[in-house]
Amino acid sequence: MPAGRPFAGGPITSFNRSNDPMNMPVAKSEISASIPSAPTTPVAAKVLPLPLKRKAMNTRVSATLGKIAAAVIPPLVMIVLLLTVWQVLCMRPGATLPSPSKIWTEAYDLIVDPFFVAGPQDIGLGWRVLTSLQRVAIGYGFAAVFGIMLGTLIGQSVWAMRGLDPIFQVLRTISPLAWLPISLAAFRDSQPSAIFVIFITSVWPIIINTAVGIRNIPQDYRNVAAVLRLNHAEFFWKIMIPSAAPYIFTGLRIGIGLSWLAIVAAEMLTGGVGIGFFIWDAWNSSRLPDIFIALAYIGIVGFLLDRIVAGLASIVTRGTSAN
Amino acid sequence: MTAYCRIDHVDKSFKRGNTETLVLKAITLDVEKGEYVSIIGHSGCGKSTLLNIVAGLTPATNGGVILEGRHVNEPGPDRAVVFQNHSLLPWLTVYENVRLAVDKVFGSKKSRAERDAWTLHNLDLVQMTHAKDKRPSEISGGMKQRVGLARALAMEPKVLLLDEPFGALDALTRAHLQDTVMGLHQKLGNTVMMITHDVDEAVLLSDRIVMMTNGPEAQIGEILTVPLTRPRKRLELVADATFLKCRQRVLEFLYERHQFVEAA
C-alpha cells in the first residue's frame, strides 16, 4: 500500500471529486491495491482512469453515443486542423495554390449542387462521377466474372498455376496507362479503351487471389465432397466458391481500388465526360479550385467503393473465416 | 464370402521418389452386419490409412474392400465417415450441413418435406435440434462432432466409419459422446468401424477390438472379442472383471508385445 500511494494519489483523487462518490471508494482501494505489483512508473497510474470514466456513464445510450463520438470527433478535429494549416499557408501573398476559403467561394456551385445541368459540357460533379462509375462498373464487372472463372481454372491445376502465375505476376505490375495506347490501337475508340484499361488493371489481383483461394480448399472439405459424391457443379457451388470466398473478395477489393485509380488517369487521356477528364479540363482552363473539389469527390467515392465491396464480403463470407 | 463387409488382403505402400514404404501388409478383416469393431494401435501404424481405404478416400495398393458382395474402391455415402476434426462446412448452419448430405443421398427418393423431417430427425438423435440454426463456429467441439455424427447417420450408411471421433475432445465431453454413440448403435443397429487410440473407449464400445502391430508393414496383430452384454453401463463396468480383463489384454498387446518404439 504505501508504495502505491504516491502514484495512485494524483489522478484518482481528482476523479473522486468529479464523479459519483458512491462508486469511488471501492474503485480506489482496488486500484491502489493493484499498483504495487505493477511496474512503478507514472504510466501505470495514467492508464487507469479510462475505465472509471466509462463506468460513470453507466447507461447504454451514452455508451453508444460515446462510441460514435470517439469515431467521428477525432477525424473532424484533424480535418479542421489541416484546413486551418492549409488556409494559413495559402493565404500569404504569392501562394501558388488556392486556400480553402478561396476554393469555397470560387467553386461554390460545384460544392453545393453535384447534379446541376447547365449545358452539354457544364454539368455537376455528381454526373461526372456517375459517368466514370459506369465505365468502372462495366470494366470491373468483366474483370470480376472473367477473373473468378480463370482463377478457378488455374487454382485447380498445378501446372496451369506454375505456368501462368509468373506471367501474371509480371503483367500485374504494368501501369494501367501503359495499356492505353495498345487498347486505343485495338478498339479505335476512347470509350471501350477506357473500359479495357479498367478491366486489365483490376483483373490480375482477382485471378491470383481466386486461384490461391481455390488451391487452399482444405482437404477435409474435399473429403466431405467425395463421401457425398458431389458432382462438379455441386462441388463448385457448394464447396469451392464458399471456401474460396474470403480470398476472392480480397482480390475483388484490391481490384475495385485499382480500377478507381485507373479510370481517372485513363479519362484524363481519352477525354469525354468523366471525373478524370474534368480535372484535365480544369487544369487547361486554370480552374485550380475545381480540381480540389474533384479530388475530394474521387477520394470519397473510392472510399465508398472499398467499403461497399468490404461490406459485401463480410455478408457473403459470414462464418467462413471464423472457423 | 458371406461377410457383410470384408477387407480383403489389403496392402498399402506409399512411394516417395525411389523408395517405397509398405505401410499396411496383408490386412484381412471381416465385419458382420450390426457389429461394432474398433481398430486400435499406436500412432503412425496406419490405422487411419486403413479407414481411408475402406472409405475409398485412399486407394489400396493391393487387395480391396467388399461391401455386401460388391467391390468398393471410391468414396460414397454407403460408407459415411465421421472425421476427427468434424469437417463441417463453416458457411452452412448445423441444419444445412446435415441437409446437404440428406439432399444429396435422398434427393430423388424423398420429397422436400420428408428430407426436412429426416434432417431434423437425425439432429434429434444426437440432441442437436436446439442449435440447428447455428454455424459450426458458434458451437463447441463436442457439439460439432455430434453434428458430424448426425450428418453421417443421415446418409443411412451400410458401414459407419469413425476416425478417432472423440480424439480432440476433453474427457467429460468424450464420455458423454461415447454414451451417445453407444445408445445410437443400440437403437439403430449400425455396422460401425472405429479408429481409436484409447483402450477404455475401445473396450467400452466394441464387439471386437482389432489390434494393429507397429508400422511400417503394420498387420493385424490380434483380434479380441469383448464378451460384455449390451446395453453396457459405464459405471458398472469400472469394476467388472470381464471389462478389466479385456482392458488388460489390449494394454499388454500395446505396451508389452508391441511397444511403441519411435518417437511420435
Side-chain angles (χ1 to χ4, degrees), chain A residues 4 16 43 83 92 109 114 124 126 163 165 168 170 190 213 235 259 276 296 303 307:
Chain A
N16 215 348
V43 181
L83 285 177
R92 292 174 307 171
D109 54 338
D165 189 57
F168 291 163
V170 171
S190 65
F235 183 67
S259 335
F303 173 76
R307 288 287 101 195

Side-chain angles (χ1 to χ4, degrees), chain B residues 59-78:
Chain B
T61 310
N62 292 311
V65 179
I66 295 156
L67 180 60
E68 277 195 325
R70 202 172 57 85
H71 179 214
V72 285
N73 57 359
E74 56 180 17
D78 54 345

